[in-house]
Amino acid sequence: METTAADARVGDDAARPLSLAIPGPPRWTRSPSDLGTLAFSAAGEVRRPPVDEPPRRMWDLATALVRVTDDDGNAVGPWAPDLDAAVLRQGLRHMMLTRELDRRLLMDQRHGRTSFYMQSTGEEAVACGFAVALGKGDMNFPTYRQQGLLVAAGYPLTSMMGQVYSNELDPLHGRQMPVFYSARDHGFFSISGNLATQFVQAVGWAMASALQGGTSIAVGWIGDGATAESDFHAALVMASTYRAPVVLNIVNNQWAISTHESVARGGAATFAERGHGFGIPALRVDGNDFLAVCSAASWATERARRDLGPTLIEWVTYRAAAHSTSDDPSGYRPKDEPSQWPLGDPVDRLARHLVATGSWSARQQEALQQEVEQVVADAQAEAAAYGTLQSGQRPSARFMFEDVFARMPVHLRRQRQQAGF
Amino acid sequence: MPVMTMIEAIRDAHAVVMERDGSVVVFGEDVGHFGGVFRCTKGLQERFGPDRCFDTPITEAGIVGVAVGMAANGMRPCVEIQFADYMYPAYDQIVSEAARLRYRSAGDFTAPLTVRMPVGGGIYGGQTHSQSPEALFTHVAGLTTVIPSNPYDAKGLLIAAIESDDPVVFLEPKRLYNGPFDGHHDRPAVPWSSHELGEVPDGHYTVPLGQAVVRRPGTDVTVVTYGTMVHVALAAASEVGVDAEVIDLRTLVPLDLEAVIGSVEKTGRCVVAHEATLTSGYGAELAALVQEHAFYSLEAPVERVAGHDTPYPHAHEWVYFPGPERVGQALRRAMEA
């Protein structure tokens, strides 16, 4: 019998059984002390290249971690943004409003006033900080955890609550699950429950802006887990091929429901490094550092606005709450992990910075907390007056049959009539 | 006999097959360590080890694509798509690859895999956690499409699906996971422990693929249905007071046509019911087959009851859902025609 080339090549190794690297429980049921071993750069340590630096010379930024605010609250290093204290105080207010909104609506779900809720607790700085770099006409393609974008854009809290209650204030007529907002005038694309689909659509929106001679940009958002979807890779290749004016944000909050972030990246490269194969410059940024978020967002949006192409940013943050009201994290992560997260809490860190720079005080912080609680409580009273999912004051079921098509076809009109609406 | 929920029965089916056949592997999002968001794979990783039951990244295309490759190479993967609504990225792998591999390679390669996914609404899941996409599978040549209506069938059908030499899409009505839901959402939930089909034998048994069953014998009208709607139809028949014969298809393709036609020839009337949207739904196929094979026995037009042709709405899911009242109206129309 003839010996084939393959036989000759594999030789004795062919007898050795192969094995796989299957991520098992020990990879993510870590003790809190293990968190300290995660590679974080010191505040101020990472260089800030000019926005037009060739991508190949910026590869170090995808493994480092851009941080600005140090442990004492000082803004240090080349990424320290030149922002007015009033902007920072407003950012603090937006984060606290978002957190209070989440707290109230979570309670509403617990009390049966709505079916479902998702908090963004612990990662408010990513959305609220990025919003500082955006202008009228820019469009976000968010996930279900960027409610901070709406709060920062001044979208009425009563509209958000109406949506969550599926009542008559709901701009979406009760069609969507709670938190699946849509607010075009506030730069917020309609949320899909299907993961990653929006990421590549953001590239398309940005391409349309350029093709139509516009000046606005698009911003895509995705979670760490959803980067495994094909649409994530489709977004990168389209953005890279056409050098679209888009910023592509990966919010790495450590957890995809029960699955640790390391599973989606094979425990190897950072998420930011995914950009390199596509020639897309990539940053890895401390997402709990409001100043670092503002600064990196400004750098990346400037690249988009100056036709320098897409930027990929990995925001390293922490999902302090459960995935949703349908989830119980005690089954898969240590109870005290949220409090052990080494990058701290974004609200505390920005408040400390403001105090350190003499533009804030503990008394003002307390007053602001009382103010946001009042604002959210007032909005809730107003929104709940229109009913909640529990009380059954819903938008007319007539709306259920509208917007399936631009003009209602005959068969649907017949179904609506048969249903009695 | 042990009493199980549908979740426990599905879990048990996995365990039975994994115990007997080392080539069976189970994977999907949150499936390993956590045991699945509906807990259908809870304990399997602990019992069989991470090589047999494991977590995947969030990539439905990856999950099914890898399953096709494994199946072609001698394994029997049984994978979970977290919600049927998330199936679409995997659709190419299911339709163009798994379904046709045997045909295009003349049997050189095959894809004996099972793709499980929860279907149906009624949990305030809105348009991305409520869909019933069975017609998207029944329309594909080469796919076996299964949908159980109770724990006993769920276990027997899942074992048969995993042991099948062809790809099987296994649809799990999520409103039936914990009890025989009959569409009366405002009434207290009934547990499987109070239902005879919540009794599930230990060990290995199969419910053959392609075999329907009569859930309620009757003489007035035949109701052809499956999944959650089996229980809705039973409730409707008793509330309307019609002696309906309710057929639970259990497998949509291959269809047990004899069971359907035999019943319609006896009753002379037929109502077809499913939760999925009406237009081009599987009910259209059933209605066509009934007129083709039992036209001269029919005393009334075949009635279809289905979800409205809209996305599944959040607040108005019970307007969308074809509950006992709508099925009852169709029964009356069939009787009065």
Side-chain angles (χ1 to χ4, degrees):
Chain A
M1 204 173 107
E2 274 184 63
T3 306
T4 66
D7 288 338
R9 194 171 62 242
V10 294
D12 292 343
D13 284 349
R16 201 176 300 154
L18 304 164
S19 69
L20 293 178
I22 293 174
R27 292 272 297 273
W28 63 84
T29 48
R30 302 166 307 176
S31 69
S33 57
D34 290 339
L35 288 169
T37 64
L38 296 173
F40 295 143
S41 314
E45 187 188 342
V46 178
R47 72 190 182 97
R48 183 185 192 277
V51 291
D52 58 355
E53 180 136 307
R56 277 182 181 280
R57 290 207 217 132
M58 295 196 273
W59 281 15
D60 53 315
L61 297 174
T63 48
L65 189 71
V66 173
R67 302 179 66 197
V68 169
T69 317
D70 68 15
D71 290 346
D72 300 322
N74 299 308
V76 294
W79 287 91
D82 182 22
L83 284 172
D84 199 89
V87 173
L88 299 179
R89 283 194 297 265
Q90 192 179 48
L92 183 66
R93 184 171 182 278
H94 290 154
M95 288 198 289
M96 290 166 66
L97 266 177
T98 305
R99 186 167 294 187
E100 177 63 11
L101 180 78
D102 281 349
R103 194 184 69 80
R104 279 265 174 187
L105 290 173
L106 178 78
M107 278 200 309
D108 278 335
Q109 194 277 341
R110 295 288 185 234
H111 291 131
R113 287 190 283 268
T114 188
S115 57
F116 176 84
Y117 194 70
M118 302 180 94
Q119 300 168 270
S120 61
T121 313
E123 48 191 284
E124 295 93 341
V126 180
C128 295
F130 200 97
V132 174
L134 296 178
K136 189 86 186 149
D138 295 335
M139 185 58 72
N140 287 289
F141 285 73
T143 78
Y144 40 62
R145 224 181 293 281
Q146 271 84 55
Q147 50 264 59
L149 290 171
L150 283 174
V151 172
Y155 188 66
L157 298 182
T158 47
S159 298
M160 295 175 80
M161 290 167 163
Q163 198 280 331
V164 170
Y165 296 148
S166 278
N167 68 14
E168 282 175 19
L169 279 185
D170 177 6
L172 312 180
H173 312 304
R175 289 180 189 144
Q176 281 271 55
M177 276 177 80
V179 314
F180 287 25
Y181 307 109
S182 176
R184 186 179 183 125
D185 290 346
H186 292 78
F188 197 94
F189 190 74
S190 161
I191 303 271
S192 171
N194 292 55
L195 301 183
T197 49
Q198 76 284 357
F199 213 55
V200 64
Q201 293 161 358
V203 177
W205 182 283
M207 288 169 68
S209 178
L211 286 170
Q212 296 173 107
T215 56
S216 61
I217 62 168
V219 183
W221 298 83
I222 198 168
D224 44 279
T227 61
E229 293 279 16
S230 310
D231 282 353
F232 169 78
H233 303 273
L236 294 191
V237 73
M238 294 302 263
S240 151
T241 296
Y242 300 104
R243 224 170 60 198
V246 66
V247 181
L248 295 169
N249 290 319
I250 304 165
V251 182
N252 177 1
N253 68 9
Q254 312 302 309
W255 291 99
I257 309 188
S258 78
T259 305
H260 189 249
E261 55 93 38
S262 60
V263 173
R265 57 183 178 82
T270 67
F271 288 108
E273 285 177 283
R274 295 273 196 257
H276 291 166
F278 298 89
I280 298 176
L283 305 177
R284 191 164 167 268
V285 181
D286 178 351
N288 286 16
D289 180 348
F290 189 87
L291 297 174
V293 174
C294 291
S295 185
S298 154
W299 188 85
T301 51
E302 187 187 339
R303 281 180 40 79
R305 292 187 208 288
R306 285 179 51 187
D307 260 345
L308 293 165
T311 308
L312 183 68
I313 306 181
E314 174 185 350
W315 306 98
V316 180
T317 181
Y318 189 83
R319 194 196 80 203
H323 165 72
S324 74
T325 48
S326 304
D327 174 44
D328 173 14
S330 69
Y332 55 81
R333 74 182 186 190
K335 265 200 163 58
D336 56 350
E337 197 186 87
S339 62
Q340 301 292 325
W341 176 242
L343 294 175
D345 177 79
V347 172
D348 294 349
R349 286 179 68 189
L350 180 55
R352 197 178 315 135
H353 167 73
L354 286 166
V355 171
T357 51
S359 49
W360 200 239
S361 69
R363 199 172 49 79
Q364 282 172 297
Q365 177 71 14
E366 203 175 305
L368 178 59
Q369 180 61 35
Q370 282 172 7
E371 190 244 342
V372 301
E373 284 176 19
Q374 193 59 51
V375 166
V376 173
D378 290 349
Q380 188 192 33
E382 188 184 334
Y386 290 83
T388 64
L389 197 63
Q390 186 182 43
S391 72
Q393 285 165 268
R394 297 177 190 180
S396 166
R398 184 173 53 86
F399 288 115
M400 183 184 133
F401 297 89
E402 293 180 0
D403 296 328
V404 181
F405 296 93
R407 294 180 65 178
M408 193 180 294
V410 174
H411 75 278
L412 212 47
R413 191 174 303 280
R414 198 176 299 129
Q415 288 180 24
R416 190 188 73 185
Q417 285 161 356
Q418 280 168 357
F421 302 102
Chain B
M1 205 182 285
V3 172
M4 296 187 193
T5 65
M6 199 191 278
I7 292 167
E8 290 161 343
I10 288 165
R11 206 185 281 161
D12 194 38
H14 280 102
V16 165
V17 183
M18 290 173 86
E19 190 67 61
R20 285 164 66 106
D21 183 351
S23 75
V24 176
V25 283
V26 174
F27 51 95
E29 296 153 17
D30 301 291
V31 156
H33 178 57
F34 190 57
V37 296
F38 288 103
R39 320 321 301 273
C40 289
T41 57
K42 187 169 167 250
L44 296 179
Q45 184 175 74
E46 218 169 24
R47 178 163 165 196
F48 296 99
D51 281 8
R52 303 285 306 283
C53 175
F54 53 88
D55 289 291
T56 66
I58 304 173
T59 165
E60 294 78 15
I63 292 166
V64 179
V66 156
V68 172
M70 285 183 178
N73 193 15
M75 303 196 81
R76 287 187 181 271
C78 178
V79 301
E80 177 178 299
I81 301 295
Q82 200 163 76
F83 286 85
D85 318 62
Y86 301 166
M87 165 279 293
Y88 302 100
Y91 196 55
D92 194 24
Q93 287 290 342
I94 296 172
V95 173
S96 314
E97 306 302 320
R100 299 187 205 146
L101 190 56
R102 176 187 299 279
Y103 188 80
R104 78 181 192 214
S105 71
D108 199 16
F109 297 98
T110 60
L113 60 95
T114 303
V115 186
R116 296 176 38 243
M117 56 187 89
V119 296
I123 60 158
Y124 281 118
Q127 52 200 273
T128 52
H129 304 80
S130 309
Q131 293 167 36
S132 296
E134 64 270 17
L136 299 181
F137 300 117
T138 58
H139 195 53
V140 177
L143 288 182
T144 299
T145 302
V146 175
I147 179 164
S149 71
N150 60 75
Y152 178 89
D153 281 357
K155 180 176 169 184
L157 287 167
L158 183 55
I159 292 174
I162 296 172
E163 291 176 351
S164 165
D165 290 332
D166 285 314
V168 178
V169 175
F170 192 87
L171 308 172
E172 300 170 4
K174 64 178 85 75
R175 262 319 287 250
L176 298 183
Y177 271 148
N178 290 306
F181 177 68
D182 68 2
H184 286 293
H185 57 94
D186 44 357
R187 296 183 189 167
V190 179
W192 279 116
S193 55
S194 66
H195 195 285
E196 59 177 1
L197 292 168
E199 288 186 10
V200 178
D202 277 324
H204 183 277
Y205 70 93
T206 58
V207 171
L209 304 179
Q211 221 173 74
V213 65
V214 173
R215 289 291 168 215
R216 180 194 192 283
T219 55
D220 289 350
V221 50
T222 300
V223 182
V224 186
T225 190
Y226 48 89
T228 309
M229 293 302 290
V230 169
H231 304 277
V232 175
L234 291 170
S238 98
E239 285 155 27
V240 172
V242 170
D243 189 21
E245 179 146 295
V246 177
I247 296 181
D248 178 356
L249 291 177
R250 304 196 287 197
T251 302
L252 305 187
V253 173
L255 174 71
D256 189 348
L257 185 62
E258 272 178 37
V260 175
I261 299 308
S263 176
V264 175
E265 283 174 346
K266 183 177 73 174
T267 63
R269 298 167 200 273
C270 181
V271 171
V272 171
H274 58 62
E275 189 181 335
T277 46
L278 178 76
T279 300
S280 297
Y282 191 62
E285 177 66 25
L286 292 170
L289 286 167
V290 168
Q291 78 81 29
E292 210 174 295
H293 295 274
F295 183 78
Y296 295 104
S297 302
L298 284 173
E299 293 173 41
V302 178
E303 287 282 342
R304 280 189 296 165
V305 191
H308 297 303
D309 284 325
T310 70
Y312 220 116
H314 173 251
H316 295 299
E317 62 178 2
W318 299 117
V319 178
Y320 173 94
F321 186 88
E325 198 187 322
R326 261 155 63 193
V327 177
Q329 287 163 359
L331 288 173
R332 282 204 193 90
R333 283 196 302 271
M335 293 308 298
E336 286 159 12

